[in-house]
Amino acid sequence: MAQWDRLRQLPIAYRQQLHELYDRDALPMDVRHYLAPWIEKQEWQRAARDHAFAMVLFQVLLENLDIQHSRFVQEESFLLQHNIRRYKQNFQRYVDDPCALATTILWFLEKEKEILESAELAEKVQLLQVEPEAMETSSQQDLERKLAGLRNEVQCMEHTIICLEEQQDEFDFKFQTQKLEAAVVDEARKKEQIKALQLLVNKLNNCRKSTLSGLNDILDRIQDIIDVLVKKELVEWQRRQQKACIGALDNVCLDQLEKWFSCVAVCLFQVWEFLTKLEELVGKVSYENDPVKAQNPTLQKRVDTLLRDLLKSSFVVETQPSMPQGKGSLVLRTNVQFSVKARLLVKFPELNHSMKVDVSMDKEAPQIKGYRRFNVLGTKIKALNMAESTNGGMVADFRHLTLKEQKSGGGGKGVSDISLSVTEELHIIYFNTVFELKGFSVELQASTLPVVIISNSSQQQSAWASVLWFNMLSQDPKDVMFFANTPAATWPQFGEMLSWQFLSATKRGLDDTQLEMIANKLFGKKPNYDSCTVPWSKFTKENTPDTFWVWFDGILMMVKTYLEDLWRDGLIMGFVTKGKEKSLLKKKKRGTFLLRFSESVIGGITFSWVEITVTGEPDVKTVQPFTKVDLSQIPFHEIIRNYQILEAENVPENPLLYLYPDTPKDKAFGKYYTEKSGEDSPYIKYIKTKLVFVSKENTLEARSPMPSDMAQGEGLEPMNGLCGEAAEQDGDLYPLTPPLESYDPDPMMNGSVEDPEPPQDLLMYLNNPNLFDNDLLQDDQSLPDFSLQGFNCLLPQSCGSFP
């Protein structure tokens, strides 16, 4: 079933998420609906990188809108005609940057998948009858028991207040009766009445004391629960949210906290009403040394303080600021819309739409030289409401905010000389509202985690590095001076953060072996890395521009874009040192290979395999790394499937037989193969040619494919060379240069090999093949002609080709 059709059949809560998603101007829901089949079939990922391809899709999109418009004209749908025409005009802004449109559509499709996955997970949980309580910790269970006890005590106090009022009414009735009868009764009767009234007063006094004592006990219990909620549960949630912002799969759902906060708030307001009731009772009946008069003001002040503490802590940022096309949350770009959601954890339905929330920026900006200031633009005031939340929470969902930098002014007194880079500047966005209920009023403020604000997409990678570092280490969510004295990370913290990046991007993190390789790269060989630390400079400043983070992020982006399925299935060893690779492969049979990430090429992946020399010794060979240039044109599994080298007897052979440790290649990768193979494979069109191979005994020669029947506009695949162990020195890959016949360098190659002069007739052919008949070279037995059956990846040298 098509993705759009599946979304439309989801339960109402998830359809509401879909409506919220498309409550943006970038891609109207009408366009998504009417062009759904076409949109879902296009390669938007490729279009986001390829301007020419993106322009083609852009033009087709406009044509499809024209077709829809014509259909609505025939159907006389006036409103739909108008909307489609307006949408087409809006899309014209992408005419100079169609890749931006492709990126936007791709983002919407990914968000749709997230909604579907959430719905499917909820359905599985329901089918398995997994109760949320089963996941509660012992501390949460203890908190639940305390809340249950609190609710029970408040209910008992409500009954006590009713009894107290009845008791006072009894006393008041008898007292008023005695006053009326005082003139007609004798002294003995009067004394009896006074004695009876005194007993009632004593009983009423004791009851009032007991009630006040009970209220004190309730407030003690509430104080204890608030301490747990605010100082433990909320702090832990905030820390989980920090980690979730940088990839950890921690639970950041606020429903449970909302339930707890609301329960305590309801109980506090009931106590507040009890104290108000006591004031009323005292106004009717009071006496000397009345305990209510003495204690009620203190209790009222305590209730007010607890309510203020609870309510101020209950106003939080549920969803941190993020841009639709951003790398992650907390990185914002000037003049680009972003969204953020605030939530009140104390839920009172009667306050729905009555509390207005306004947004502001950097209220207490640090006095740092060059520190930028920003204005928040867009819809800055919204009401807390339950309609914008899938679970009925009180939220204010800001979806169309932008930032604009203020004009810089001169530094004044007290301005620090500390200098921070743009991507080390931290800024905080604030949300303000006023809580008013039953005569109680308090101002509330929530703040985001520090955001990094950039003005150009080229700063995105460095900005995300700052977000990672801050949220990995900082325990103070308002520490905007964090990078003035940046702390180092311990290896356990750092390794966990790196694993989160893969976990969030591909649903599979890094195992201990992979993390050990990274630690080895950073610190060298050590028996244990737990005591090692990684300074901020080593993460993102040393070896500029190829810092550790640039290297790691390049691999992450390559895996997420081109290798996610292979990585998730555990087929890529990935992070493994060259020395470790050799020690693993040399113990294995011929044809065993593994896949690892390049240590010297940013965003590169390579494979190495074991050969057996004529002396019976294992020999590990490595191909030059493949990058996004290669992988964007041919899937990596097809490269592995069709990879060939030329053996001594001129028989093309795929040396990749067993994925480490011993899984047959086709068993490991078979499910990814296209049905076609050989000359029918759709990937051969890029290099569909006949090649001339020049080979010597026991050597691996180069090949140089030249196109003879390539489709117009198609280019050759980048050539990747074969590297022997000699090429593994000093952390770089160098092409092995075996003895071979050398001809004029192919202009597509990076270099040539100086060797003896080639045969003159072959040299003449390579310089001007039109002078020769094809049969001439085909009859030359010293130059066998092979029909390439796959993507051949050999040492890049020029050897010539013919149709």
Side-chain angles (χ1 to χ4, degrees), residues 164 172 199 216 255 261 309 334 398 506 540 563 570 607 672 709:
L164 178 63
D172 187 48
L199 291 174
N216 257 314
D255 293 355
F261 269 82
D309 291 344
T334 52
F398 297 87
T506 68
T540 189
L563 307 170
F607 47 76
Y672 302 106
D709 58 353

Side-chain angles (χ1 to χ4, degrees), residues 297-429:
T298 303
L299 289 174
Q300 187 66 59
K301 185 177 180 180
R302 191 178 178 192
V303 170
D304 290 351
T305 300
L306 291 174
L307 263 176
R308 290 178 189 277
D309 291 344
L310 182 73
L311 290 169
K312 285 186 174 183
S313 299
S314 69
F315 193 37
V316 298
V317 176
E318 179 177 15
T319 306
Q320 294 293 329
S322 64
M323 300 183 297
Q325 294 86 27
K327 189 178 183 68
S329 58
L330 302 174
V331 176
L332 305 180
R333 184 175 170 182
T334 52
N335 302 316
V336 174
Q337 285 190 352
F338 67 92
S339 59
V340 61
K341 184 187 292 186
R343 181 169 176 176
L344 183 64
L345 297 179
V346 172
K347 180 179 173 182
F348 287 96
E350 56 265 41
L351 295 178
N352 191 27
H353 290 285
S354 66
M355 295 174 61
K356 305 296 182 183
V357 181
D358 67 272
V359 186
S360 58
M361 188 82 183
D362 285 332
K363 286 195 170 184
E364 300 176 0
Q367 295 298 307
I368 299 177
K369 187 176 182 179
Y371 188 88
R372 299 167 300 160
R373 267 69 170 178
F374 297 89
N375 292 324
V376 183
L377 306 179
T379 306
K380 297 194 298 180
I381 299 178
K382 293 200 71 174
L384 281 169
N385 65 89
M386 295 185 288
E388 294 183 314
S389 175
T390 56
N391 47 23
M394 296 277 290
V395 303
D397 193 359
F398 297 87
R399 303 175 190 172
H400 307 289
L401 299 177
T402 55
L403 299 176
K404 184 176 182 180
E405 186 174 355
Q406 299 177 7
K407 292 183 179 179
S408 59
K413 290 184 179 181
V415 174
S416 171
D417 290 332
I418 295 173
S419 179
L420 296 175
S421 68
V422 167
T423 56
E424 290 176 333
E425 271 187 19
L426 300 178
H427 300 263
I428 294 177
I429 301 172

Side-chain angles (χ1 to χ4, degrees), residues 280-294:
E280 293 177 7
L281 294 179
V282 169
K284 295 177 180 178
V285 175
S286 186
Y287 45 86
E288 189 177 354
N289 297 324
D290 188 339
V292 174
K293 280 189 175 182

